[in-house]
Amino acid sequence: MAITTSPRGTADVFGENLQNWLKLERQIRAICRTYGYQELRTPMFEHTELFQRGIGETTDIVEKEMYTFTDRGGRSITLRPEGTAPVVRAYLEHKMGQGPLPVKLFYLGPMFRYERPQAGRYRQFHQFGLEVLGSADPLLDVETILLPVELYKACGLKGFVVELNSIGCSVCRPRYREELKEYIRPHLNEMCRSCQGRFERNPLRLLDCKIESCRAVLADAPLITDYLCPECSQHFAQVRSYLDLLQVEYKLNPKLVRGFDYYTRTVFEVTFAGLGAQNAIGAGGRYDGLVEEVGGSPTPAVGFAVGVERLLLALESEGSFAAEPPRPAGFIVQFGGETKVRAAQLMYELRRAGLHVEMDHLDRSVRAQMKAANRMNARWVLILGEEELAAQQVKLKNMDLGTEELVDLDAVIQCMQVEEE
Ligand code: AMP
């Protein structure tokens, strides 16, 4: 009978790949600690309305990518497609804004989007994200760019580029929106169906279209940066000057917009050319309007999210990140009968002392047990034969040095621990 496979666009993480994930997660937690971010774990699913209000009804995600279902109690539930709206919900629900500001949070976990799966694009994928709530300081926009850049560098990643833009605010963006629409309108029939569909409701997204004919139309389109109000303009200038001060390299891209409605002012994206079409390894920006949108009082905020799978693909392509495979401290080779009984006792004593020790469970020959120990790359092989057992000893073989010695059974732990340090 055919086996049931995992659903399209999902993956199992195990073996060497899992070691890389764990290594990356350790780096993430370390950098968050240094920068003062507390972890927040929100549920995998939320009320659908949170994303409708938070992300925006006209976005791809809300229009066609959400995993939404009605639960047995008749509520509309959605598997979280992104992490920001849930963080904002938790911030409001737990009145975090009444504590010291800004509130600096990070999350790490699976997100769900019904997209067409391809290399680097999945239906269940993982994001590491940061959110800073309660301050409009441009230095914090910079911090949410700096932190991922430092993370990429700490992982050894080289070929990434930070693209930066400001998309203004509710004061200056409407005028730009109208100018952009005026510019596009006469060429609308030269543009793709998706651009035509978005033109009225979300014209800024047209700047994002990858289709050649659409890009041609937009080549000379007006640029948002020429329309920023004095406050947004000053904020953007401060962001750039802090980036320069902190020597963060970036490229200005006045056509950079983001897929969510909630962004204001700073937006940025980090790309890695080696990944083909799905080349964004992280993205973020300021979202001063979102907290109010989901029912709170006006609260400035900024954040970003990194795609974990894509970052790992990028690191893999540069070949500099492979985690060391785990190595057992010891493997006990026994000769059956009483020696197996004593070996089992010894194995659990050693494990209790914190050493990873293995033994055979398939009644294998001594030769095959030695092979298994080698395959696992055990540091020590402990040979427990009839003679050794009679003398209450074990033969301890150092597999790295090729040396061996007879050691009293009750002194094995010390011998192995000394070497472990
Ligand atoms: P977004 O939440 O769309 O701004 O995405 C932030 C980051 O998450 C992107 O830069 C990608 O690295 C990653 N990402 C988004 N969608 C997917 C997906 N379907 N599969 C894998 N990674 C994704």
Side-chain angles (χ1 to χ4, degrees):
M1 202 168 72
I3 60 157
T4 306
T5 57
S6 77
R8 204 161 119 78
T10 67
D12 299 310
V13 182
F14 62 99
E16 259 174 56
N17 188 20
L18 177 72
Q19 295 308 319
N20 291 341
W21 274 75
L22 293 175
K23 182 175 171 186
L24 179 57
E25 287 177 19
R26 283 193 295 273
Q27 305 256 30
I28 288 172
R29 289 177 197 286
I31 199 161
C32 285
R33 195 174 327 114
T34 314
Y35 282 70
Y37 288 77
Q38 303 283 331
E39 183 168 5
L40 172 64
R41 300 186 184 184
T42 64
M44 300 294 165
F45 56 85
E46 299 273 357
H47 292 295
T48 302
E49 131 202 323
L50 175 70
F51 300 112
Q52 285 167 338
R53 285 163 75 181
I55 302 176
E57 299 273 10
T58 65
T59 56
D60 281 354
I61 292 186
V62 173
E63 274 181 351
K64 48 187 191 217
E65 293 172 1
M66 294 205 305
Y67 277 91
T68 298
F69 58 95
T70 307
D71 75 5
R72 288 169 196 274
R75 303 168 197 89
S76 180
I77 294 291
T78 294
L79 300 186
R80 62 180 187 196
E82 59 94 54
T84 302
V87 167
V88 169
R89 195 242 339 114
Y91 169 88
L92 292 173
E93 200 165 329
H94 305 295
K95 302 187 172 47
M96 294 184 200
Q98 292 175 7
L101 296 177
V103 173
K104 305 203 325 182
L105 301 166
F106 83 91
Y107 59 84
L108 176 58
M111 304 294 160
F112 307 86
R113 293 183 197 172
Y114 193 79
E115 292 194 271
R116 198 163 42 79
Q118 54 179 271
R121 189 157 79 188
Y122 315 102
R123 289 182 175 168
Q124 175 177 318
F125 61 99
H126 294 70
Q127 284 185 341
F128 154 54
L130 290 182
E131 314 293 347
V132 187
L133 297 119
S135 167
D137 186 354
L139 184 54
L140 292 171
D141 302 41
V142 170
E143 184 164 297
T144 56
I145 300 173
L146 182 63
L147 194 151
V149 165
E150 292 294 320
L151 173 71
Y152 299 142
K153 285 188 186 162
C155 292
L157 192 71
K158 295 196 176 70
F160 64 88
V161 176
V162 177
E163 292 185 38
L164 180 72
N165 193 20
S166 171
I167 56 167
C169 65
S170 56
V171 174
C172 49
R173 196 158 52 209
R175 187 162 79 87
Y176 171 68
R177 224 178 106 107
E178 288 316 306
E179 294 282 335
L180 183 65
K181 278 171 80 174
E182 284 317 303
Y183 170 87
I184 294 173
R185 201 184 306 278
H187 307 284
L188 200 55
N189 56 0
E190 297 155 44
M191 304 191 79
C192 72
R193 289 257 305 276
S194 144
C195 282
Q196 289 179 4
R198 284 172 172 161
F199 174 73
E200 283 299 335
R201 293 176 305 161
N202 203 347
L204 263 71
R205 285 305 308 279
L206 274 55
L207 294 168
D208 213 16
C209 187
K210 302 280 184 292
I211 292 173
E212 213 34 67
S213 53
C214 300
R215 291 169 75 118
V217 168
L218 291 159
D220 296 316
L223 301 174
I224 176 80
T225 36
D226 294 328
Y227 290 79
L228 297 179
C229 61
E231 289 75 18
C232 286
S233 201
Q234 194 197 5
H235 186 92
F236 194 35
Q238 285 175 324
V239 167
R240 291 187 326 255
S241 78
Y242 276 131
L243 285 170
D244 294 338
L245 174 80
L246 299 167
Q247 297 176 322
V248 181
E249 285 180 36
Y250 61 92
K251 222 174 78 185
L252 289 175
N253 175 0
K255 290 197 178 140
L256 179 69
V257 290
R258 304 271 310 113
F260 305 116
D261 280 355
Y262 53 59
Y263 285 109
T264 50
R265 297 190 168 170
T266 313
V267 290
F268 70 95
E269 189 161 82
V270 186
T271 54
F272 180 83
L275 286 182
Q278 305 304 319
N279 65 355
I281 53 171
R286 179 161 281 288
Y287 51 92
D288 291 345
L290 178 62
V291 179
E292 207 177 352
E293 199 63 48
V294 298
S297 51
T299 306
V302 59
F304 94 101
V306 167
V308 174
E309 286 86 351
R310 277 196 214 164
L311 175 55
L312 286 168
L313 284 175
L315 288 165
E316 211 172 277
S317 77
E318 285 191 347
S320 52
F321 189 69
E324 287 281 313
R327 272 185 94 176
F331 189 101
I332 310 179
V333 172
Q334 37 74 28
F335 291 68
E338 254 320 288
T339 66
K340 178 170 180 190
V341 174
R342 187 64 184 94
Q345 200 182 13
L346 179 61
M347 178 170 80
Y348 290 106
E349 264 170 49
L350 293 172
R351 286 185 181 172
R352 224 172 272 140
L355 294 171
H356 172 202
V357 174
E358 294 290 341
M359 65 185 277
D360 171 61
H361 296 288
L362 296 171
D363 286 334
R364 277 185 282 212
S365 69
V366 169
R367 228 175 94 101
Q369 291 181 51
M370 285 302 297
K371 254 194 183 160
N374 269 319
R375 210 176 309 120
M376 286 186 191
N377 198 19
R379 288 176 204 279
W380 299 89
V381 171
L382 297 82
I383 301 170
L384 190 60
E386 304 282 353
E387 267 174 48
E388 286 87 3
L389 185 58
Q392 288 296 304
Q393 289 186 315
V394 65
K395 199 184 282 169
L396 195 57
K397 239 175 121 130
N398 184 316
M399 300 302 279
D400 293 333
L401 304 176
T403 54
E404 59 176 58
E405 58 179 325
L406 273 170
V407 177
D408 286 346
L409 271 173
D410 47 19
V412 179
I413 292 182
Q414 283 90 324
C415 293
M416 290 175 69
Q417 275 172 340
V418 169
E419 287 298 322
E420 279 278 284
E421 279 161 9

PDB file of all heavy atoms in Angstrom, residues 69-96:
ATOM      1  N   PHE A  69     -10.595  28.282   8.291  1.00  0.00           N
ATOM      2  CA  PHE A  69     -11.639  27.270   8.419  1.00  0.00           C
ATOM      3  C   PHE A  69     -12.583  27.644   9.565  1.00  0.00           C
ATOM      4  O   PHE A  69     -12.240  28.479  10.403  1.00  0.00           O
ATOM      5  CB  PHE A  69     -11.036  25.875   8.671  1.00  0.00           C
ATOM      6  CG  PHE A  69     -10.174  25.815   9.915  1.00  0.00           C
ATOM      7  CD1 PHE A  69     -10.697  25.384  11.124  1.00  0.00           C
ATOM      8  CD2 PHE A  69      -8.845  26.203   9.856  1.00  0.00           C
ATOM      9  CE1 PHE A  69      -9.904  25.333  12.266  1.00  0.00           C
ATOM     10  CE2 PHE A  69      -8.034  26.162  10.997  1.00  0.00           C
ATOM     11  CZ  PHE A  69      -8.560  25.718  12.192  1.00  0.00           C
ATOM     12  N   THR A  70     -13.725  27.031   9.538  1.00  0.00           N
ATOM     13  CA  THR A  70     -14.686  27.252  10.625  1.00  0.00           C
ATOM     14  C   THR A  70     -14.513  26.112  11.621  1.00  0.00           C
ATOM     15  O   THR A  70     -14.534  24.952  11.227  1.00  0.00           O
ATOM     16  CB  THR A  70     -16.123  27.248  10.070  1.00  0.00           C
ATOM     17  OG1 THR A  70     -16.156  28.195   9.001  1.00  0.00           O
ATOM     18  CG2 THR A  70     -17.136  27.650  11.118  1.00  0.00           C
ATOM     19  N   ASP A  71     -14.306  26.440  12.873  1.00  0.00           N
ATOM     20  CA  ASP A  71     -14.106  25.357  13.841  1.00  0.00           C
ATOM     21  C   ASP A  71     -15.461  24.792  14.289  1.00  0.00           C
ATOM     22  O   ASP A  71     -16.509  25.248  13.829  1.00  0.00           O
ATOM     23  CB  ASP A  71     -13.201  25.797  15.012  1.00  0.00           C
ATOM     24  CG  ASP A  71     -13.905  26.711  16.001  1.00  0.00           C
ATOM     25  OD1 ASP A  71     -15.120  26.950  15.858  1.00  0.00           O
ATOM     26  OD2 ASP A  71     -13.228  27.210  16.928  1.00  0.00           O
ATOM     27  N   ARG A  72     -15.408  23.784  15.147  1.00  0.00           N
ATOM     28  CA  ARG A  72     -16.651  23.081  15.499  1.00  0.00           C
ATOM     29  C   ARG A  72     -17.614  23.974  16.274  1.00  0.00           C
ATOM     30  O   ARG A  72     -18.788  23.667  16.437  1.00  0.00           O
ATOM     31  CB  ARG A  72     -16.330  21.821  16.289  1.00  0.00           C
ATOM     32  CG  ARG A  72     -15.729  20.768  15.397  1.00  0.00           C
ATOM     33  CD  ARG A  72     -15.157  19.623  16.191  1.00  0.00           C
ATOM     34  NE  ARG A  72     -14.277  18.822  15.354  1.00  0.00           N
ATOM     35  CZ  ARG A  72     -14.689  17.839  14.573  1.00  0.00           C
ATOM     36  NH1 ARG A  72     -15.956  17.540  14.512  1.00  0.00           N
ATOM     37  NH2 ARG A  72     -13.814  17.165  13.834  1.00  0.00           N
ATOM     38  N   GLY A  73     -17.088  25.113  16.769  1.00  0.00           N
ATOM     39  CA  GLY A  73     -17.963  26.041  17.484  1.00  0.00           C
ATOM     40  C   GLY A  73     -18.463  27.159  16.569  1.00  0.00           C
ATOM     41  O   GLY A  73     -19.033  28.137  17.039  1.00  0.00           O
ATOM     42  N   GLY A  74     -18.183  27.021  15.251  1.00  0.00           N
ATOM     43  CA  GLY A  74     -18.688  27.996  14.296  1.00  0.00           C
ATOM     44  C   GLY A  74     -17.863  29.268  14.181  1.00  0.00           C
ATOM     45  O   GLY A  74     -18.299  30.249  13.577  1.00  0.00           O
ATOM     46  N   ARG A  75     -16.640  29.278  14.775  1.00  0.00           N
ATOM     47  CA  ARG A  75     -15.801  30.478  14.671  1.00  0.00           C
ATOM     48  C   ARG A  75     -14.903  30.383  13.454  1.00  0.00           C
ATOM     49  O   ARG A  75     -14.448  29.299  13.104  1.00  0.00           O
ATOM     50  CB  ARG A  75     -14.891  30.614  15.891  1.00  0.00           C
ATOM     51  CG  ARG A  75     -15.610  30.648  17.200  1.00  0.00           C
ATOM     52  CD  ARG A  75     -14.627  30.485  18.354  1.00  0.00           C
ATOM     53  NE  ARG A  75     -15.358  30.112  19.557  1.00  0.00           N
ATOM     54  CZ  ARG A  75     -15.618  28.851  19.903  1.00  0.00           C
ATOM     55  NH1 ARG A  75     -15.198  27.830  19.166  1.00  0.00           N
ATOM     56  NH2 ARG A  75     -16.305  28.585  20.998  1.00  0.00           N
ATOM     57  N   SER A  76     -14.627  31.533  12.841  1.00  0.00           N
ATOM     58  CA  SER A  76     -13.683  31.532  11.718  1.00  0.00           C
ATOM     59  C   SER A  76     -12.264  31.668  12.266  1.00  0.00           C
ATOM     60  O   SER A  76     -11.926  32.640  12.936  1.00  0.00           O
ATOM     61  CB  SER A  76     -13.987  32.667  10.751  1.00  0.00           C
ATOM     62  OG  SER A  76     -13.049  32.597   9.696  1.00  0.00           O
ATOM     63  N   ILE A  77     -11.466  30.673  11.967  1.00  0.00           N
ATOM     64  CA  ILE A  77     -10.107  30.560  12.506  1.00  0.00           C
ATOM     65  C   ILE A  77      -9.119  30.568  11.344  1.00  0.00           C
ATOM     66  O   ILE A  77      -9.412  30.015  10.285  1.00  0.00           O
ATOM     67  CB  ILE A  77      -9.997  29.222  13.292  1.00  0.00           C
ATOM     68  CG1 ILE A  77     -10.891  29.232  14.531  1.00  0.00           C
ATOM     69  CG2 ILE A  77      -8.561  28.862  13.622  1.00  0.00           C
ATOM     70  CD1 ILE A  77     -10.460  30.177  15.628  1.00  0.00           C
ATOM     71  N   THR A  78      -7.951  31.171  11.540  1.00  0.00           N
ATOM     72  CA  THR A  78      -6.931  31.167  10.484  1.00  0.00           C
ATOM     73  C   THR A  78      -5.585  30.774  11.064  1.00  0.00           C
ATOM     74  O   THR A  78      -5.178  31.293  12.114  1.00  0.00           O
ATOM     75  CB  THR A  78      -6.834  32.571   9.832  1.00  0.00           C
ATOM     76  OG1 THR A  78      -8.073  32.828   9.162  1.00  0.00           O
ATOM     77  CG2 THR A  78      -5.707  32.648   8.824  1.00  0.00           C
ATOM     78  N   LEU A  79      -4.917  29.841  10.379  1.00  0.00           N
ATOM     79  CA  LEU A  79      -3.543  29.500  10.773  1.00  0.00           C
ATOM     80  C   LEU A  79      -2.690  30.732  10.485  1.00  0.00           C
ATOM     81  O   LEU A  79      -2.770  31.283   9.389  1.00  0.00           O
ATOM     82  CB  LEU A  79      -3.020  28.315   9.958  1.00  0.00           C
ATOM     83  CG  LEU A  79      -3.771  27.000  10.062  1.00  0.00           C
ATOM     84  CD1 LEU A  79      -3.022  25.907   9.299  1.00  0.00           C
ATOM     85  CD2 LEU A  79      -3.928  26.588  11.526  1.00  0.00           C
ATOM     86  N   ARG A  80      -1.881  31.147  11.413  1.00  0.00           N
ATOM     87  CA  ARG A  80      -1.204  32.445  11.255  1.00  0.00           C
ATOM     88  C   ARG A  80      -0.324  32.474   9.991  1.00  0.00           C
ATOM     89  O   ARG A  80       0.541  31.624   9.805  1.00  0.00           O
ATOM     90  CB  ARG A  80      -0.367  32.780  12.488  1.00  0.00           C
ATOM     91  CG  ARG A  80       0.735  31.772  12.724  1.00  0.00           C
ATOM     92  CD  ARG A  80       1.554  32.145  13.952  1.00  0.00           C
ATOM     93  NE  ARG A  80       2.689  31.233  14.024  1.00  0.00           N
ATOM     94  CZ  ARG A  80       3.444  31.033  15.089  1.00  0.00           C
ATOM     95  NH1 ARG A  80       3.207  31.689  16.204  1.00  0.00           N
ATOM     96  NH2 ARG A  80       4.442  30.199  15.053  1.00  0.00           N
ATOM     97  N   PRO A  81      -0.564  33.485   9.112  1.00  0.00           N
ATOM     98  CA  PRO A  81       0.269  33.591   7.913  1.00  0.00           C
ATOM     99  C   PRO A  81       1.491  34.473   8.138  1.00  0.00           C
ATOM    100  O   PRO A  81       2.385  34.517   7.301  1.00  0.00           O
ATOM    101  CB  PRO A  81      -0.667  34.247   6.891  1.00  0.00           C
ATOM    102  CG  PRO A  81      -1.619  35.057   7.720  1.00  0.00           C
ATOM    103  CD  PRO A  81      -1.741  34.388   9.067  1.00  0.00           C
ATOM    104  N   GLU A  82       1.522  35.174   9.252  1.00  0.00           N
ATOM    105  CA  GLU A  82       2.645  36.059   9.568  1.00  0.00           C
ATOM    106  C   GLU A  82       2.609  36.325  11.067  1.00  0.00           C
ATOM    107  O   GLU A  82       1.628  36.006  11.749  1.00  0.00           O
ATOM    108  CB  GLU A  82       2.569  37.362   8.752  1.00  0.00           C
ATOM    109  CG  GLU A  82       1.300  38.167   8.965  1.00  0.00           C
ATOM    110  CD  GLU A  82       1.468  39.230  10.013  1.00  0.00           C
ATOM    111  OE1 GLU A  82       2.406  40.032   9.883  1.00  0.00           O
ATOM    112  OE2 GLU A  82       0.655  39.277  10.962  1.00  0.00           O
ATOM    113  N   GLY A  83       3.683  36.935  11.591  1.00  0.00           N
ATOM    114  CA  GLY A  83       3.795  37.034  13.037  1.00  0.00           C
ATOM    115  C   GLY A  83       3.464  38.382  13.651  1.00  0.00           C
ATOM    116  O   GLY A  83       3.277  38.474  14.870  1.00  0.00           O
ATOM    117  N   THR A  84       3.387  39.437  12.833  1.00  0.00           N
ATOM    118  CA  THR A  84       3.259  40.771  13.415  1.00  0.00           C
ATOM    119  C   THR A  84       1.879  41.015  14.041  1.00  0.00           C
ATOM    120  O   THR A  84       1.801  41.486  15.183  1.00  0.00           O
ATOM    121  CB  THR A  84       3.572  41.851  12.361  1.00  0.00           C
ATOM    122  OG1 THR A  84       4.894  41.606  11.888  1.00  0.00           O
ATOM    123  CG2 THR A  84       3.506  43.247  12.948  1.00  0.00           C
ATOM    124  N   ALA A  85       0.816  40.694  13.297  1.00  0.00           N
ATOM    125  CA  ALA A  85      -0.529  40.948  13.841  1.00  0.00           C
ATOM    126  C   ALA A  85      -0.736  40.168  15.155  1.00  0.00           C
ATOM    127  O   ALA A  85      -1.242  40.744  16.135  1.00  0.00           O
ATOM    128  CB  ALA A  85      -1.600  40.622  12.802  1.00  0.00           C
ATOM    129  N   PRO A  86      -0.326  38.893  15.240  1.00  0.00           N
ATOM    130  CA  PRO A  86      -0.463  38.197  16.530  1.00  0.00           C
ATOM    131  C   PRO A  86       0.337  38.857  17.659  1.00  0.00           C
ATOM    132  O   PRO A  86      -0.143  38.921  18.800  1.00  0.00           O
ATOM    133  CB  PRO A  86       0.090  36.788  16.241  1.00  0.00           C
ATOM    134  CG  PRO A  86      -0.117  36.595  14.780  1.00  0.00           C
ATOM    135  CD  PRO A  86       0.064  37.946  14.166  1.00  0.00           C
ATOM    136  N   VAL A  87       1.539  39.361  17.353  1.00  0.00           N
ATOM    137  CA  VAL A  87       2.335  40.024  18.397  1.00  0.00           C
ATOM    138  C   VAL A  87       1.605  41.278  18.879  1.00  0.00           C
ATOM    139  O   VAL A  87       1.498  41.530  20.082  1.00  0.00           O
ATOM    140  CB  VAL A  87       3.756  40.378  17.885  1.00  0.00           C
ATOM    141  CG1 VAL A  87       4.453  41.326  18.852  1.00  0.00           C
ATOM    142  CG2 VAL A  87       4.580  39.110  17.691  1.00  0.00           C
ATOM    143  N   VAL A  88       1.057  42.030  17.941  1.00  0.00           N
ATOM    144  CA  VAL A  88       0.339  43.251  18.318  1.00  0.00           C
ATOM    145  C   VAL A  88      -0.894  42.884  19.154  1.00  0.00           C
ATOM    146  O   VAL A  88      -1.192  43.522  20.164  1.00  0.00           O
ATOM    147  CB  VAL A  88      -0.045  44.065  17.056  1.00  0.00           C
ATOM    148  CG1 VAL A  88      -1.005  45.187  17.416  1.00  0.00           C
ATOM    149  CG2 VAL A  88       1.202  44.613  16.390  1.00  0.00           C
ATOM    150  N   ARG A  89      -1.575  41.818  18.752  1.00  0.00           N
ATOM    151  CA  ARG A  89      -2.740  41.361  19.529  1.00  0.00           C
ATOM    152  C   ARG A  89      -2.333  41.021  20.969  1.00  0.00           C
ATOM    153  O   ARG A  89      -2.965  41.459  21.930  1.00  0.00           O
ATOM    154  CB  ARG A  89      -3.359  40.138  18.829  1.00  0.00           C
ATOM    155  CG  ARG A  89      -4.718  39.773  19.283  1.00  0.00           C
ATOM    156  CD  ARG A  89      -4.934  38.420  19.925  1.00  0.00           C
ATOM    157  NE  ARG A  89      -3.981  37.373  19.689  1.00  0.00           N
ATOM    158  CZ  ARG A  89      -3.221  36.872  20.657  1.00  0.00           C
ATOM    159  NH1 ARG A  89      -3.265  37.349  21.896  1.00  0.00           N
ATOM    160  NH2 ARG A  89      -2.371  35.889  20.390  1.00  0.00           N
ATOM    161  N   ALA A  90      -1.226  40.290  21.101  1.00  0.00           N
ATOM    162  CA  ALA A  90      -0.771  39.902  22.444  1.00  0.00           C
ATOM    163  C   ALA A  90      -0.332  41.128  23.244  1.00  0.00           C
ATOM    164  O   ALA A  90      -0.601  41.230  24.450  1.00  0.00           O
ATOM    165  CB  ALA A  90       0.372  38.899  22.339  1.00  0.00           C
ATOM    166  N   TYR A  91       0.310  42.070  22.573  1.00  0.00           N
ATOM    167  CA  TYR A  91       0.764  43.306  23.212  1.00  0.00           C
ATOM    168  C   TYR A  91      -0.432  44.047  23.823  1.00  0.00           C
ATOM    169  O   TYR A  91      -0.376  44.528  24.963  1.00  0.00           O
ATOM    170  CB  TYR A  91       1.470  44.162  22.151  1.00  0.00           C
ATOM    171  CG  TYR A  91       1.785  45.590  22.526  1.00  0.00           C
ATOM    172  CD1 TYR A  91       2.978  45.909  23.163  1.00  0.00           C
ATOM    173  CD2 TYR A  91       0.901  46.629  22.212  1.00  0.00           C
ATOM    174  CE1 TYR A  91       3.287  47.230  23.488  1.00  0.00           C
ATOM    175  CE2 TYR A  91       1.191  47.943  22.532  1.00  0.00           C
ATOM    176  CZ  TYR A  91       2.382  48.240  23.173  1.00  0.00           C
ATOM    177  OH  TYR A  91       2.682  49.535  23.494  1.00  0.00           O
ATOM    178  N   LEU A  92      -1.530  44.092  23.060  1.00  0.00           N
ATOM    179  CA  LEU A  92      -2.724  44.795  23.554  1.00  0.00           C
ATOM    180  C   LEU A  92      -3.430  43.975  24.636  1.00  0.00           C
ATOM    181  O   LEU A  92      -3.804  44.507  25.683  1.00  0.00           O
ATOM    182  CB  LEU A  92      -3.690  45.061  22.398  1.00  0.00           C
ATOM    183  CG  LEU A  92      -3.192  46.079  21.368  1.00  0.00           C
ATOM    184  CD1 LEU A  92      -4.143  46.140  20.172  1.00  0.00           C
ATOM    185  CD2 LEU A  92      -3.052  47.468  22.009  1.00  0.00           C
ATOM    186  N   GLU A  93      -3.563  42.680  24.381  1.00  0.00           N
ATOM    187  CA  GLU A  93      -4.302  41.830  25.309  1.00  0.00           C
ATOM    188  C   GLU A  93      -3.640  41.805  26.690  1.00  0.00           C
ATOM    189  O   GLU A  93      -4.314  41.769  27.706  1.00  0.00           O
ATOM    190  CB  GLU A  93      -4.385  40.417  24.720  1.00  0.00           C
ATOM    191  CG  GLU A  93      -5.484  39.600  25.313  1.00  0.00           C
ATOM    192  CD  GLU A  93      -5.793  38.350  24.469  1.00  0.00           C
ATOM    193  OE1 GLU A  93      -5.622  38.388  23.228  1.00  0.00           O
ATOM    194  OE2 GLU A  93      -6.187  37.350  25.075  1.00  0.00           O
ATOM    195  N   HIS A  94      -2.326  41.826  26.717  1.00  0.00           N
ATOM    196  CA  HIS A  94      -1.608  41.761  27.997  1.00  0.00           C
ATOM    197  C   HIS A  94      -1.137  43.136  28.481  1.00  0.00           C
ATOM    198  O   HIS A  94      -0.283  43.219  29.354  1.00  0.00           O
ATOM    199  CB  HIS A  94      -0.438  40.780  27.875  1.00  0.00           C
ATOM    200  CG  HIS A  94      -0.883  39.428  27.416  1.00  0.00           C
ATOM    201  ND1 HIS A  94      -1.710  38.632  28.173  1.00  0.00           N
ATOM    202  CD2 HIS A  94      -0.684  38.777  26.251  1.00  0.00           C
ATOM    203  CE1 HIS A  94      -1.986  37.519  27.484  1.00  0.00           C
ATOM    204  NE2 HIS A  94      -1.374  37.592  26.318  1.00  0.00           N
ATOM    205  N   LYS A  95      -1.661  44.180  27.851  1.00  0.00           N
ATOM    206  CA  LYS A  95      -1.378  45.563  28.253  1.00  0.00           C
ATOM    207  C   LYS A  95       0.121  45.819  28.430  1.00  0.00           C
ATOM    208  O   LYS A  95       0.556  46.463  29.393  1.00  0.00           O
ATOM    209  CB  LYS A  95      -2.123  45.904  29.550  1.00  0.00           C
ATOM    210  CG  LYS A  95      -3.632  45.730  29.433  1.00  0.00           C
ATOM    211  CD  LYS A  95      -4.336  46.247  30.681  1.00  0.00           C
ATOM    212  CE  LYS A  95      -5.841  46.301  30.582  1.00  0.00           C
ATOM    213  NZ  LYS A  95      -6.515  45.119  30.051  1.00  0.00           N
ATOM    214  N   MET A  96       0.901  45.284  27.518  1.00  0.00           N
ATOM    215  CA  MET A  96       2.353  45.446  27.632  1.00  0.00           C
ATOM    216  C   MET A  96       2.764  46.914  27.510  1.00  0.00           C
ATOM    217  O   MET A  96       3.796  47.319  28.016  1.00  0.00           O
ATOM    218  CB  MET A  96       3.065  44.622  26.560  1.00  0.00           C
ATOM    219  CG  MET A  96       2.894  43.130  26.719  1.00  0.00           C
ATOM    220  SD  MET A  96       3.879  42.260  25.465  1.00  0.00           S
ATOM    221  CE  MET A  96       3.076  40.672  25.448  1.00  0.00           C
TER     222      MET A  96
END
